[in-house]
């Protein structure tokens, strides 16, 4: 087990490249078609060569998998599909020996309906106080207690045979916890200690702004302020207590915080709360120079007052793959862009994804890379009868869900199932082997080689903020330390600024040495 370390821990997290591992789809070590910890351990050399500083694992806990593991039945056990607790401890230690830290996912808003607490609550025990049970409205209690809607569609309430209703902001199999109860708070602090003592260096907090609810659970009426369950002030006491635990071990937090208000967002990053939070405005931007620059400026301005590093994310397990998103006419983050049959220009999307990778890796702060982004994987079309994401069913089939970005990775072009292992739990599209890591490792122009070189060269940008440089319309150009980043989002090639060396290019320059459209370069000043 790991031992507590000084809280500073060198500040590695302020400029880290963190790789997101969706275990179920990363690599299958035992041939059963499901990714597992053995598969991750076998691929640690690949992650070392990629140059990442840490791995963030989506939930690997015991779970019925009604929502991809975000329905946790036991936080202190690894799901048998992935391995054992002993294997997790071994993976954490082996990765750390190779210079790679581990972050785990915590899902504090809810648990699985198979969690011992909820099963006891259903049996009528005092555990009901740990959740939100209420009588219904109407003459016979036939209507939900309030008008809250699930994030996955439909009412956020399910009625039990005894007539009571229980709250679930996500799927019915994910009952919300009552964070006003001290036992809920104590349990999560104990869970943090459990994993910190096993060498985990940090925690990603799922749905971090949703935990605390108004005690009366009022309707979400138009203009209600404060919101009855989003960004409640009481939530900051929870994270101050968590921070005290993390500081004992030198561990760090990153919160999944979706908030439009910059001042409210920054409150989560005060020195005694979370270390970092995901930056969704950058990921949400369409491929537009003015919009991206505004997002970058706003992000840095939001973080400056609290001294927290920004985070840069192009994609994750909930979002349409970058190559596909940037190959569409509307490249903004909108679940409507996942509609069935939406046309995509993958060549265009790949050029833009390469440029976006260089842009994000040149910015100050933390960069998160979702598995497969370094291979340039597109979103996969999943046959209707193979879709597992509950978003699809709860939308009545209008939303294809998020499985398209969760298809198992291709590792070896010449092996069955592209080297993933056994027959994958989600089908790999035809031609998936063309993206295989072994093939890309041999191709100097591949996405994988671009990512490896960019991560290796990233320190040339130093630690300071960007200084924007004069540039034509549609072009982003900035300097950090003695390096320049130039991204051409205009319709025509542009001349490069004065420089002493071309460090890295997302694609070839034209015959006149100009930067083509949808291309980025790193230059030495």
């Amino acid at each position: 087990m790991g031992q507590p370390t000084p809280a500073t821990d060198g500040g590695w997290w302020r400029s880290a490249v963190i790789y997101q591992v969706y275990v179920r789809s990363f690599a299958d070590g035992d041939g059963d078609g499901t990714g597992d910890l053995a598969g991750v351990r076998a691929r640690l050399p690949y992650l070392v060569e990629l140059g990442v500083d840490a791995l963030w694992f989506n939930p690997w806990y015991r779970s019925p998998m009604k929502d991809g593991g975000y329905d946790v039945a036991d936080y202190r056990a690894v799901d048998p599909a992935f391995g054992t607790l002993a294997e997790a401890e071994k993976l954490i230690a082996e990765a750390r020996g190779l210079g790679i830290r581990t972050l785990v996912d915590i899902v504090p808003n809810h648990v699985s309906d198979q969690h011992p607490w909820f099963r006891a609550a259903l049996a009528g025990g005092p555990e009901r106080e740990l959740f939100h049970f209420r009588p219904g409205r109407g003459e016979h209690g036939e209507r939900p207690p309030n008008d809250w809607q699930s994030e996955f569609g439909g009412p956020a309430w399910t009625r039990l045979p005894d007539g009571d209703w229980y709250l679930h902001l996500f799927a019915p199999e994910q009952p919300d916890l009552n964070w006003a109860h001290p036992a809920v708070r104590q349990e999560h602090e104990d869970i943090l200690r459990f994993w910190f003592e096993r060498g985990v260096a940090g925690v990603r907090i799922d749905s971090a702004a949703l935990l605390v609810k108004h005690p009366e659970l009022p309707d979400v009426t138009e203009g209600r302020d404060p919101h009855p369950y989003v960004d409640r002030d009481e939530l900051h006491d929870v994270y101050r207590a968590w921070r005290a635990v993390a500081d004992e071990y030198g561990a760090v937090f990153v919160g999944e915080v979706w908030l439009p208000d910059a001042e409210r967002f920054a409150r989560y990053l005060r020195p005694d709360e979370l270390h970092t939070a995901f930056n969704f405005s950058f990921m949400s931007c369409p491929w537009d120079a003015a919009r991206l620059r505004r997002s970058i400026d706003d992000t840095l301005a939001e973080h400056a007052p609290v001294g927290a590093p920004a985070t840069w994310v192009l994609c994750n397990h909930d979002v349409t793959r970058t190559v596909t998103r940037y190959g569409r006419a509307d490249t903004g983050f909108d679940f409507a862009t996942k509609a069935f049959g939406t046309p995509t220009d993958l060549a265009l999307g790949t050029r833009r994804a390469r440029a976006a990778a260089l842009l994000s890796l040149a910015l100050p702060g933390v960069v998160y890379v979702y598995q497969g982004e370094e291979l340039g994987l597109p979103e996969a079309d999943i046959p209707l009868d193979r879709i597992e994401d509950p978003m699809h069913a709860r939308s009545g089939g209008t939303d294809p869900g998020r499985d398209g970005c969760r298809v198992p990775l291709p590792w070896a072009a010449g092996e069955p199932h592209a080297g993933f292992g056994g027959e994958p739990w989600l089908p790999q599209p035809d031609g998936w082997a063309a993206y295989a890591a072994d093939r890309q490792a041999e191709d100097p122009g591949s996405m994988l080689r671009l990512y490896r070189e960019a991560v290796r060269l990233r320190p040339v940008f130093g630690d300071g903020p960007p200084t924007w440089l004069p540039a034509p319309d549609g072009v982003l150009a900035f300097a950090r330390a003695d390096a320049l980043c130039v991204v051409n989002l205009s319709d025509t090639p542009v001349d490069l600024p004065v420089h002493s060396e071309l460090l890295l290019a997302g694609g070839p320059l034209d015959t006149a040495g100009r930067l083509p459209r949808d291309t980025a370069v790193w230059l030495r000043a």
Side-chain angles (χ1 to χ4, degrees):
M1 294 186 183
Q3 296 298 319
T5 56
T8 56
D9 200 19
W12 66 271
W13 49 274
R14 300 188 70 87
S15 59
V17 176
I18 301 177
Y19 187 90
Q20 180 186 352
V21 180
Y22 193 80
V23 180
R24 199 177 183 190
S25 298
F26 186 72
D28 172 18
D30 61 10
D32 66 355
T34 295
D36 47 39
L37 301 187
V40 179
R41 289 177 59 209
R43 298 294 179 178
L44 284 175
Y46 169 87
L47 297 166
V48 170
E49 191 165 6
L50 186 57
V52 300
D53 300 294
L55 307 177
W56 156 37
F57 288 89
N58 290 102
W60 57 24
Y61 314 108
R62 187 182 297 276
S63 167
M65 296 292 168
K66 298 297 184 181
D67 182 26
Y70 282 88
D71 48 320
V72 180
D74 186 349
Y75 266 114
R76 295 172 178 83
V78 170
D79 195 273
F82 302 145
T84 65
L85 179 59
E87 285 183 282
E89 293 173 343
K90 187 175 292 186
L91 171 57
I92 293 165
E94 289 179 356
R96 189 66 186 91
L98 295 170
I100 299 177
R101 293 172 170 86
T102 297
L103 286 76
V104 296
D105 221 310
I106 294 293
V107 190
N109 180 70
H110 49 264
V111 294
S112 165
D113 61 356
Q114 299 304 305
H115 190 283
W117 279 1
F118 193 69
R119 295 173 72 176
L122 292 182
E127 289 82 2
R128 283 209 171 200
E129 297 180 3
L130 306 178
F131 300 91
H132 298 280
F133 284 86
R134 294 290 189 278
R137 296 188 291 188
E139 183 178 356
H140 303 291
E142 70 277 9
R143 293 189 290 115
N146 63 30
D147 65 357
W148 296 6
Q149 296 294 297
S150 163
E151 296 290 319
F152 290 165
W157 294 90
T158 290
R159 196 178 193 187
L160 297 170
D162 66 7
D164 269 357
W165 298 72
Y166 70 88
L167 175 67
H168 53 84
L169 289 180
F170 294 86
E173 297 85 359
Q174 296 167 291
D176 279 38
L177 290 165
N178 175 16
W179 274 86
H181 199 291
V184 172
R185 298 194 179 201
Q186 185 61 56
E187 169 67 358
H188 281 77
E189 290 178 25
D190 291 346
I191 290 168
L192 292 175
R193 292 183 185 279
F194 179 88
W195 287 105
F196 292 155
E197 288 173 0
R198 280 156 179 79
V200 163
V203 166
R204 179 262 190 185
I205 307 168
D206 181 70
S207 301
L210 302 184
L211 280 56
V212 176
K213 280 74 173 176
H214 189 293
E216 297 176 5
L217 304 185
D219 285 347
V220 181
T221 53
E222 189 69 28
R224 176 179 288 278
D225 186 23
H227 195 282
Y229 64 82
V230 177
D231 185 34
R232 303 281 302 174
D233 285 344
E234 306 95 307
L235 185 52
H236 296 281
D237 290 337
V238 173
Y239 292 137
R240 289 189 185 97
W242 283 26
R243 179 60 178 262
V245 175
D247 283 350
E248 294 178 30
Y249 295 87
V252 298
F253 292 123
V254 56
E256 183 190 28
V257 182
W258 295 76
L259 293 176
D261 186 303
E263 189 276 330
R264 299 288 300 185
F265 173 83
R267 294 179 68 197
Y268 290 85
L269 301 175
R270 290 176 291 196
D272 61 345
E273 295 192 41
L274 307 183
H275 299 76
T276 60
F278 281 136
N279 168 25
F280 291 110
S281 72
F282 182 75
M283 182 177 69
S284 305
C285 269
W287 189 246
D288 177 87
R291 295 273 296 276
L292 282 167
R293 176 167 173 171
R294 184 162 61 250
S295 174
I296 293 168
D297 286 340
D298 289 349
T299 297
L300 295 174
E302 288 170 5
H303 288 74
V306 288
T311 64
W312 311 102
V313 187
L314 293 176
C315 185
N316 63 31
H317 63 294
D318 289 331
V319 179
T320 302
R321 287 276 187 187
T322 308
V323 164
T324 298
R325 206 169 69 244
Y326 282 161
R328 290 174 171 159
D330 177 4
T331 58
F333 176 68
D334 181 350
F335 278 111
T337 65
K338 296 194 300 181
F340 294 109
T342 304
T344 298
D345 182 341
L346 290 183
L348 173 65
T350 299
R351 289 200 309 273
R352 289 175 170 177
R354 292 171 67 90
L358 293 192
L359 172 60
S360 62
L361 285 162
L363 291 169
V366 188
V367 175
Y368 282 81
V369 179
Y370 176 49
Q371 67 180 41
E373 287 292 291
E374 81 281 9
L375 301 177
L377 296 182
E379 187 83 355
D381 290 326
I382 308 298
L384 292 179
D385 62 347
R386 296 293 299 276
I387 294 175
E388 296 198 9
D389 186 1
M391 291 187 73
H392 174 65
R394 288 184 64 83
S395 70
T398 60
D399 190 319
R402 300 160 294 179
D403 289 344
C405 68
R406 300 175 178 182
V407 173
L409 299 189
W411 290 101
E415 296 182 12
H417 313 301
F420 171 71
E423 182 176 350
W425 69 279
L426 280 178
Q428 295 172 319
D430 293 340
W432 207 238
Y435 297 97
D438 66 341
R439 180 174 293 180
Q440 293 203 35
E442 301 301 319
D443 178 5
S446 70
M447 185 76 84
L448 177 59
R449 292 282 289 271
L450 179 72
Y451 264 89
R452 285 178 176 175
E453 189 65 5
V455 173
R456 185 184 71 83
L457 289 172
R458 189 171 181 243
V460 302
F461 286 97
D463 298 323
T467 299
W468 293 105
L469 305 175
D473 289 344
V475 177
L476 297 175
F478 61 84
R480 293 181 60 220
D482 65 345
L484 314 177
C485 177
V486 184
V487 188
N488 183 10
L489 296 88
S490 72
D491 293 331
T492 59
V494 296
D495 292 325
L496 296 178
V498 175
H499 62 281
S500 63
E501 180 184 358
L502 174 62
L503 296 171
L504 185 60
L509 304 181
D510 71 8
T511 56
R514 296 174 301 180
L515 183 65
R517 60 183 299 184
D518 301 317
T519 308
V521 291
W522 289 359
L523 309 169
R524 194 180 300 278

